[in-house]
């Protein structure tokens, strides 16, 4: 019996990667394998459904001149909170993987809040910022943020809660 072995091609240099993706067809094929339907687009990122894992989204950072990217900020923040034993981690949609340069982030997908869920959300932790409906979703039965690059977590965690203002309630 003959056993075939296949080696996985590993690109070792930037030049190798550029040559590999020199063709628009290859770039589009790569995008199509990774990204499903467009979910949203903001000022710094485009968000797609992850085509190979429907429980995730793909966040692509658009502006190479703006560093650190929102992807990196979210990744670092989730790495800080994910092993906490209090309720802090539940407020953040889990990050699964990030590219080495931070341009692509894979994050667990949330479902949009219903009107009732949004209206019932009266308080959020004080360390969460950029409070608008479009930054929140449901994950595993609880409300969390899926866009938290601008959170105030780095300034300190506390158990204090704050009311959602009328102004924030009407945003996005």
């Amino acid at each position: 019996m003959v056993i075939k072995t296949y080696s996985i091609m590993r690109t070792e240099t930037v030049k190798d990667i550029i040559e590999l993706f020199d063709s628009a067809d290859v770039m589009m094929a790569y995008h199509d394998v990774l990204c499903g339907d467009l979910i949203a687009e903001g000022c710094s990122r485009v968000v797609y459904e992850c085509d190979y894992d429907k429980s995730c989204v793909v966040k692509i950072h658009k502006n190479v001149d703006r560093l650190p990217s929102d992807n990196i900020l979210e990744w670092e923040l989730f790495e800080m909170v994910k092993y906490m034993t209090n309720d802090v981690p539940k407020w953040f949609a889990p990050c699964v993987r990030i590219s080495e340069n931070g341009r692509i982030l894979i994050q667990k997908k949330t479902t949009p809040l219903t009107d009732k869920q949004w209206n019932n959300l009266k308080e959020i932790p004080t360390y969460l910022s950029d409070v608008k409906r479009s930054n929140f979703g449901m994950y595993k039965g609880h409300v969390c943020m899926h866009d938290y690059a601008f959170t105030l977590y780095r300034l300190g965690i506390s158990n204090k809660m704050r009311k959602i203002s009328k102004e924030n309630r009407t945003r996005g």
Side-chain angles (χ1 to χ4, degrees):
M1 177 165 91
V2 175
I3 299 174
K4 289 186 175 184
T5 58
Y6 298 92
S7 63
I8 297 173
M9 185 182 100
R10 184 172 171 92
T11 54
E12 298 296 331
T13 67
V14 172
K15 183 180 178 229
D16 293 334
I17 295 169
I18 291 170
E19 286 176 10
L20 179 65
F21 287 94
D22 192 31
S23 161
D25 289 341
V26 173
M27 282 190 282
M28 288 306 298
Y30 188 82
H31 181 273
D32 290 347
V33 166
L34 182 62
C35 300
D37 293 337
L38 176 68
I39 294 174
E41 184 170 357
C43 57
S44 67
R45 295 185 286 186
V46 181
V47 182
Y48 295 93
E49 183 176 68
C50 182
D51 209 35
Y52 68 85
D53 183 348
K54 302 296 185 193
S55 73
C56 293
V57 297
V58 179
K59 295 182 172 186
I60 302 175
H61 180 68
K62 296 189 291 189
N63 187 350
V64 292
D65 297 329
R66 183 170 168 248
L67 292 174
S69 74
D70 291 348
N71 287 344
I72 293 170
L73 294 173
E74 283 185 1
W75 177 264
E76 288 178 348
L77 181 56
F78 189 71
E79 286 295 300
M80 286 188 255
V81 303
K82 72 181 180 181
Y83 296 114
M84 290 182 169
T85 57
N86 53 21
D87 283 341
V88 172
K90 79 173 193 173
W91 286 100
F92 301 92
C95 293
V96 176
R97 189 164 186 190
I98 192 167
S99 63
E100 195 168 312
N101 64 6
R103 296 289 302 269
I104 297 175
L105 174 70
I106 308 293
Q107 185 181 65
K108 286 296 186 177
K109 185 178 184 180
T110 65
T111 57
L113 296 181
T114 64
D115 290 342
K116 183 178 180 181
Q117 289 166 331
W118 177 244
N119 291 330
N120 286 340
L121 184 63
K122 302 296 182 197
E123 294 182 320
I124 57 169
T126 56
Y127 50 82
L128 297 178
S129 58
D130 198 16
V131 178
K132 58 184 178 183
R133 184 175 178 169
S134 61
N135 286 348
F136 289 85
M138 291 295 289
Y139 180 72
K140 291 192 173 182
H142 58 81
V143 175
C144 69
M145 283 192 94
H146 51 242
D147 187 350
Y148 49 85
F150 296 114
T151 189
L152 299 176
Y153 172 76
R154 295 172 198 277
L155 301 178
I157 290 288
S158 75
N159 290 328
K160 292 181 183 176
M161 300 293 277
R162 65 180 166 129
K163 297 205 180 297
I164 298 175
S165 70
K166 287 181 182 180
E167 177 187 310
N168 283 337
R169 191 158 293 286
T170 59
R171 294 175 62 210

